[in-house]
Structure formats: structure tokens, C-alpha cells
Amino acid sequence: MSDAFDFSVPPFDRLTPEQRQRLAAALDLGVYARDGVILSRDEPADCLFVVRQGLVHERRGGEVVAVHGAHDSFDLQALFSDGQARSFVAAEDTLCDLVPRPILLELAHENAAFGAVIQQGFADRLSALANERSNRETAALTMARIRQAYLRPPVFVEAGASLRDAAAAMKREQASSVLVRDGDPKRGGRVGILTGTDLRDLVVLEGRPVDSPVGPLARYELLALDRDDLLFNALILMTKHSVRRLVITEQGEVVGLLEQTDLLAVLSNHSQVVALKVDRAATPEDLGRASQDIVGLIRTLHGTGVKVSFIADLVTELNRKIFRRLFELLAPPDLLANSCLIVMGSEGRGEQLLKTDQDNGLILRDGYDCPSLSQVTDAFTRHLVAFGYPPCPGRIMVSNPDWTRPLALYKDSLFHWIHRPDEAAQMNLAIFYDAAAVAGDAALLDEAKGYLLGRLQDNQMFFTAFARPALAFDTPSGLFGGLFERRRSEAVDIKKAGIFPIVHGVRALALEKHMAETNTTERIWALADKGVLDRGMAGELADAFTFLSTLRLKAGLDGSVSGTQTDNLVRTESLGKLDRDQFKDCLALVKKFKELLAYHFHLNH
């Protein structure tokens, strides 16, 4: 059927008759039933797919991000890179012409016009993906509210106070201005402002006595905005009037002052700005300052309603940039070339938002020896602690020799964890299965993971033991329904009750299928692609995981100034009715998923 290929469709219309003949001879035909997976996540492609008839959905994280119909082609990104975070599923019975990679490259090389379109198509695809992310982030930052910025507490003095009193108040409160009360504002009085610059000009340049009252000297035409106004409106007002601070009110009452430096700090918390700071960091201390900027970025994006999955993607990239740059600053070149720095746990899965315990390791090339290894790894852990990443209670860190070892010893440990799976071994295996390479030679991790998946056998007892922790924590239901009013003040550990059962249950199903995905949502949809989960359950699980992660992030932001995840507790009385109902539905779904796991892995036997 390859002779039916439509060469009138660009860019194939640029081929010569002889080139068309060669392409037609190389074509194959793909036949896909409705809901069939054409190309799965992170799967490199060996051909270009051109839809002859039917419809193809391009999915990312379970969402349909593009639809491909007749004459459309995909996926150049998978064809010329190591895969993609998307999958392609037949939305109806579909036929695709398959253009093998070798003939595509051959024709692109000989035919400049054809090659230019192919190359430009790939570049446009990558550019579109980058622009989409940047536009979403910029839109979120432009919608940031003043309440998301730091407000300087107002420092008041009465109109009869002296210039000396005003200066003393500024020094005592470490403020750059004072607000001057001239009578009761509720009874016709007014409020003015006197800045440190005003004081300098009045006393030094004009020679005013320091005991002069501030009332007649203050400026009473205050520039004020409400706390729920947009930060960009504040920036416009400051620019228009050439001032460095605004008075911020809430329900008519002064609640603080917004300084220009604090406003710009929020607006500069763009991931590209943070990334630039990381790339230019010359010392660990520079990296520490960049790391603190991530907290502001998270607060801004979350406060403007950006999806938690998008925030996690950004934070994962920035965290890994920081870890990579820190390792590059500390490690000699030969260590970089002969090792692979890995992150594990939530960081490895790309799901860490606020800073949680460190989970990292170092795989060394067999036969390589670094005399300064212990100094490098100790410094790496010490600096991360200074950046706000707490040490791991289980010591899963590069500073622990058990997690900085040659590849051969990692393989020995993997063998032990698989074939003698006590509780510690199962935890280590689970955390290593989630590992991702950050710096150095990623092939070392690929070989270790290949060994892990290759050693797994169809051993029901092993997978039963591995999956069992998903049922270890209770998922409450008595907080709701008839008992809700009586127990609504109780707090729920959202990680134990909801997030961990999903993460580990999905991880167990993925390990059983020898899957390479690490992210929980990607694992869910890959399991759906393989028919392990039906698409309805997959969609509900992915939505529940996102909602529970969002609640956990909010709990962490509410309880943390530094951006460290110190609180996993959700207090049901603090939730609005819609969130409370959704929380109830999520916990019910988790219980249903645990029942599925118990049946699948024979956990009740």
C-alpha cells in the first residue's frame, strides 16, 4: 500500500521523482486500533509517522495537547533525540505511513530544500515547547498580587515627634521610612510619610534642627494600593512617580510598605533568571543565594494558580542545575568524568517542590580512584544543608560511603536487595528505582538500572513483599460523612494517608512491568498504555495525586519561611467546602486503589 503515499503534502512535495521512488520503496504501513499506543513516553522513534487516515492524540501527563489527522506527521523530537515526555495514542482506527529514519536522513542530506524543512520542523517543535512553558510562567508572574511580596511593617510616629525621634524609630525598627500620624484618620486626620532621604536633606542640606516636629515636614500625598492589587500596577505607579516605596492598605487600614527592592525580587523570580544565576555561580555561596530564589518562584506560581505539575517541572530543573553546578565546583575534572551523581526519591521522580531530606548518591566507574573523594562528598552534603536541604535521617547521601561506590558494588547491592529483600533492602531498592542522573556520566546509572531490571524475575513473593508498604498507613474515612462535624478539627498526614500509597503502589506496578519511567504521573499513564490500569482509573489517580500534592504544597508554604517541607498535616477545618469534598473523594479513591493493589499482589493472603 506504500504506493498510495501522498507526495503532494509538504515537505515531501520537494522531493525529486527519483527520491520519491526511493522513499516509496522504503515505506512501511502501521495499523493501529482505537486506543492503541503508537509511541509511548520516553521511547526513541525509528521512523517518522505520517497519518494516512484516522486520528491520533498526543498526550502529556494524561492531557491531550495536540491532535494529528490525515497528512499530519509526528514525532520529529523522538526521532532526533532520546525520546519525549509524551505519548501518541490512536483516537480511532488509524493508518500511518512509516518513514524509516535512515531514508529520511539520506534524503535530507541530498535535498537541501527537503532537509531545511525537516530541520526547521524539529527546531520549531523544540522552540514551541520552550515558549509554551515560558509564556505560562510569565503569565503567572504578571498576575502576581501585592500580598505575595514581602511588606515592610509600618512604623508610625505622631506629628509632634521630632526629627531625632523619627531617626531613632527608623534605627530601632531597621526601617527606611516612618509614617506620620497627624490626628485620627477616622476623624479627618491624615497620614504622611518621612523617608531616610527626607531626613538627610532636612538636617544636613537645609540645616533643620533635629528637634523640629515632623508633622509640618512630612509628605501627605501618599501613593497607596490595596494588598490584593497586581504587583505590576505597583511597578507602574513607582515608575510613573519616581518613588521607591508604596503604602499598602487592606480594608482601608495601612498594613505595610512595599519597597521597590521587594517588588523586583518577586518579579525577578523567573526560572530563567534563577537559572542564569546558577550558571554564573562562581562559589557555593552564589548557588545558595540562587537556591533561596526558588522559594519565591514557588510562592508566586502557586499563589497565581499555576498547576502543581508545572511548578514541579520547573523546580526539578532548577534543583538539578544547582546540584550539578555544586558538584562541578567541588569535584576535580577526573572525578566528573568517572562518576555519575544521582538524585533519588521525590527528587529523582521530579516531584519535589519544597526542600525535603537529601536523597543522593554517586556511582563511580569501576577501577577509578579519587584521593580527594571523601572531602568532595562531605563538602557536597554540607553545602546542601546550608542551602536548606536537610540531611537524610537514613544517611542516603553522597557523604555516606554506602552511597558513593563503584558500579560493581552497586550491582552487588541490587542483587542483594532483589534476592534477600528485608525491609531495608526494599526501601533501598524503591528509592534507587526512582534515581535520575544529575551530573557526570549518565551511562553509569543506565547500566545500573539495566542490571536491576534484568535481574527481576516473575517472582510473585518478591513483588508481594515490595508492594506491601503501600498498605502500611491508614487512609481515614471517618473524618467525613456522619462523623465529620465531630472530628473535623483532626489533622491528616497527607503524605502517609494519600500520596505515599499512590506513589509506592504505582511504583510497584511499574517495577513489575520493568518500566523505565520514574515520574509517578508518567508511570500512571504508561501503565494505562500497557493495559495494567484502565484509563478511567488512571485519570482519577493522576488527578488525585495532583490535588493531594497541591494540598501538601500549601501546607508546606503555610508552615515554612525557608521553603523546607516541614509539615505534611492537612487540617480539614481549614479547607473550603469544595476542597474538603475533593479531599474526601481523593481519600476514597486511594482506598479503592489500595484494594486493587491488595488483589493484584495477593496482599491479603
Side-chain angles (χ1 to χ4, degrees), residues 489-517:
S489 62
E490 294 191 20
V492 178
D493 187 319
I494 195 169
K495 183 178 179 181
K496 291 181 178 179
I499 294 175
F500 177 77
I502 294 176
V503 168
H504 190 66
V506 167
R507 176 166 50 204
L509 291 169
L511 185 65
E512 183 186 38
K513 296 300 178 184
H514 298 197
M515 286 165 40
E517 288 85 358

Side-chain angles (χ1 to χ4, degrees), residues 511-529:
L511 185 65
E512 183 186 38
K513 296 300 178 184
H514 298 197
M515 286 165 40
E517 288 85 358
T518 55
N519 178 268
T520 298
T521 301
E522 290 180 6
R523 281 173 173 168
I524 288 171
W525 287 108
L527 288 166
D529 290 346

